[in-house]
Amino acid sequence: MELNFDSLLIVLFGIVIVFLLFLLYLMQRRISQLLNEVDDLNNTMNVTCVEIEELTKNVNDFKKNKF
């Protein structure tokens, strides 16, 4: 069996394509992880905003009662 230059290039390009597909898979996994982290941060910010609104309401109630 003779391996000429064309066959060698086909094998090389096949290996490169498989490697690039693996990199795409890793990048997709990482993007998914980062999106989950962003969602967690947004949820934390929403809870914080709600807490700040409650605190503001409590402070205003305290002012009205003038304890």
Side-chain angles (χ1 to χ4, degrees), residues 30-46:
R30 184 62 183 145
I31 288 171
S32 177
Q33 289 174 350
L34 290 172
L35 286 174
N36 287 337
E37 289 180 16
V38 167
D39 287 341
D40 291 342
L41 287 173
N42 282 335
N43 290 337
T44 303
M45 284 177 53
N46 288 337

